[in-house]
Amino acid sequence: MANTYAQTTTAIGLDVGTSRIVAAHRPDKEVNCETQLNAFVTIPFSKLTESVLKKERIPHLTHDAEITVYGDEAERFANLFHKETRRPMLRGVLNAEEGTSLMLVREIVRLLTGEDKGHGQRLCFSVPSALLGADEEVRSHESQLTAMLNELGYESRSISEGLAVVYGEMESSNYTGIGISCGGGLCNVCMAYLSVPVFSFSIAKAGDYIDSSVAKLRGEPATRIRSIKEESFHFNGHFTNKIHQALSAYYEDMIQALVAALRDTFASVQNMPKLNRPIRLVLSGGSVLAPGFRDRFEKTLREAELPVAISEVRLGANPMQSTARGALVAALSEM
Ligand SMILES: Nc1ncnc2c1ncn2[C@@H]1O[C@H](COP(=O)(O)OP(=O)(O)O)[C@@H](O)[C@H]1O
Ligand SMILES: [Mg+2]
């Protein structure tokens, strides 16, 4: 791939999500974002298949008797061969059960940033906040990614995903407020005061949880549920469709869990800054895209009576890019 990324870019923001990887850079005044699915599918090896994939420039790796197609193309191949795509990551971190996880994430990052190596550019990548009792998992994920990115030629460091959302979306409030990313694997939350994180946490109920729960209930493959969710679900409908009904119930479950965790965290924070005015809350990530999500979230939030006043609940300017853009802000601010 001809790509001048490495030459024209001074810094990179990388959102390493369970379902998508997004890279942000700023070649001039505007920020550019590129996305690939963080997914793969394997097909049997044959010399012919391999040469066709090469000709068609379809990203793939060959090892043993298999060809692994990764990134956006994985979905197309999965549909073609009636397979489910697999993921290098699970609930926000590298999946230890997929031996090739780190290598695939590296290849997807290279797809996004160009085949050239980095030239010592600063790169800031998002990491999830640890789930209760899973600190070690996140630490290991973070150090594996740091080593891999450094090896690719970047000077990398991490930022927690919720804080990246605050950086990406809350410049106008001097990076004060609550940033939330509702993704596939996790929902990540951070409250920051003048850019300094006050607390961060994550919960494991997010898009994948909704898909797999509805799939189990209705006896359908999760991939099919996900397509229905993304293409035709909206809140506040009168659900005649059983799948929509179930989707609504599990979305509700996720929102309740998120607001409850927020309330509990506020209650337990030791050195809460004294806020002299209400703060804003921004929602981002793929799971906030369902029409009506914002209204439903705000309603639940208002009912919970948090100890701080929230002035506004809004969707991110571009919810699928908030984390990568915020990671870029972090990378650029250190130059
Ligand atoms: N238009 C849509 N409506 C509802 N959900 C969506 C939509 N687009 C993507 N999603 C969901 O968003 C989740 C992925 O969000 P993303 O922010 O990419 O996640 P991650 O941070 O885990 O990579 C998936 O569960 C996906 O089904
Ligand atoms: Mg994410």
Side-chain angles (χ1 to χ4, degrees):
M1 188 182 350
N3 198 315
T4 51
Y5 220 100
Q7 283 78 38
T8 58
T9 296
T10 50
I12 297 174
L14 201 63
D15 169 4
V16 187
T18 310
S19 78
R20 287 176 316 127
I21 301 185
V22 187
H25 72 140
R26 203 178 66 183
D28 41 56
K29 285 213 169 92
E30 300 286 308
V31 172
N32 276 356
C33 285
E34 317 231 10
T35 301
Q36 286 280 335
L37 284 178
N38 197 359
F40 67 97
V41 69
T42 53
I43 51 179
F45 173 82
S46 87
K47 275 207 161 141
L48 186 65
T49 311
E50 193 185 29
S51 75
V52 175
L53 293 183
K54 241 184 215 145
K55 223 156 98 194
E56 296 274 328
R57 295 175 164 237
I58 291 168
H60 67 280
L61 289 170
T62 303
H63 58 103
D64 296 337
E66 280 182 337
I67 299 177
T68 304
V69 174
Y70 54 85
D72 287 351
E73 293 284 350
E75 188 134 286
R76 194 155 67 93
F77 274 77
N79 291 335
L80 227 55
F81 293 95
H82 303 285
K83 285 182 144 190
E84 298 245 358
T85 52
R86 285 152 65 188
R87 299 251 189 84
M89 284 170 51
L90 186 68
R91 284 188 296 276
V93 293
L94 287 163
N95 183 354
E97 281 174 22
E98 296 283 7
T100 51
S101 304
L102 185 64
M103 182 176 69
L104 286 167
V105 170
R106 183 185 68 205
E107 292 311 311
I108 295 169
V109 168
R110 288 179 70 214
L111 260 190
L112 290 165
T113 58
E115 307 268 314
D116 284 348
K117 279 205 154 204
H119 296 273
Q121 292 114 308
R122 286 186 194 255
L123 182 152
C124 192
F125 65 96
S126 63
V127 291
S129 296
L131 291 165
L132 201 65
D135 295 32
E136 185 45 43
E137 243 180 38
V138 172
R139 263 199 299 276
S140 148
H141 168 82
E142 180 178 357
S143 67
Q144 288 184 73
L145 283 184
T146 304
M148 178 273 280
L149 292 164
N150 289 348
E151 200 177 297
L152 282 182
Y154 298 102
E155 194 184 315
S156 68
R157 69 173 188 88
S158 67
I159 180 171
S160 91
E161 171 150 27
L163 186 62
V165 173
V166 173
Y167 285 5
E169 296 284 350
M170 293 186 148
E171 186 184 359
S172 64
S173 56
N174 277 324
Y175 308 113
T176 296
I178 300 173
I180 300 182
S181 169
C182 300
L186 298 171
C187 291
N188 273 276
V189 181
C190 174
M191 180 195 160
Y193 183 68
L194 299 176
S195 87
V196 181
V198 178
F199 63 73
S200 307
F201 66 85
S202 69
I203 64 165
K205 285 184 177 171
D208 295 344
Y209 165 77
I210 294 173
D211 302 347
S212 61
S213 305
V214 175
K216 212 156 138 200
L217 190 72
R218 305 295 321 158
E220 300 262 6
T223 323
R224 181 170 135 73
I225 300 296
R226 183 167 57 105
S227 312
I228 294 173
K229 179 187 74 177
E230 293 177 7
E231 279 152 31
S232 63
F233 176 78
H234 56 91
F235 283 90
N236 308 319
H238 296 287
F239 304 112
T240 44
N241 176 318
K242 287 259 167 47
I243 291 178
H244 285 177
Q245 220 168 51
L247 282 168
S248 171
Y250 282 104
Y251 257 118
E252 188 68 45
D253 181 14
M254 175 189 111
I255 292 173
Q256 293 283 355
L258 189 53
V259 169
L262 196 55
R263 193 192 49 216
D264 295 349
T265 306
F266 268 114
S268 69
V269 168
Q270 300 288 320
N271 29 25
M272 187 68 195
K274 288 215 167 26
L275 303 166
N276 48 13
R277 64 185 118 148
I279 58 169
R280 298 177 186 175
L281 185 151
V282 172
L283 295 167
S284 71
S287 292
V288 310
L289 295 177
F293 182 91
R294 195 212 68 87
D295 293 3
R296 182 59 60 94
F297 180 87
E298 178 162 17
K299 184 168 169 283
T300 309
L301 185 79
R302 300 289 177 205
E303 285 164 4
E305 296 182 358
L306 298 184
V308 297
I310 308 287
S311 58
E312 171 194 57
V313 173
R314 69 168 173 89
L315 291 187
N318 192 333
M320 301 288 263
Q321 299 178 353
S322 312
T323 302
R325 285 170 178 266
L328 178 62
V329 169
L332 286 167
S333 73
E334 296 204 339
M335 316 203 31

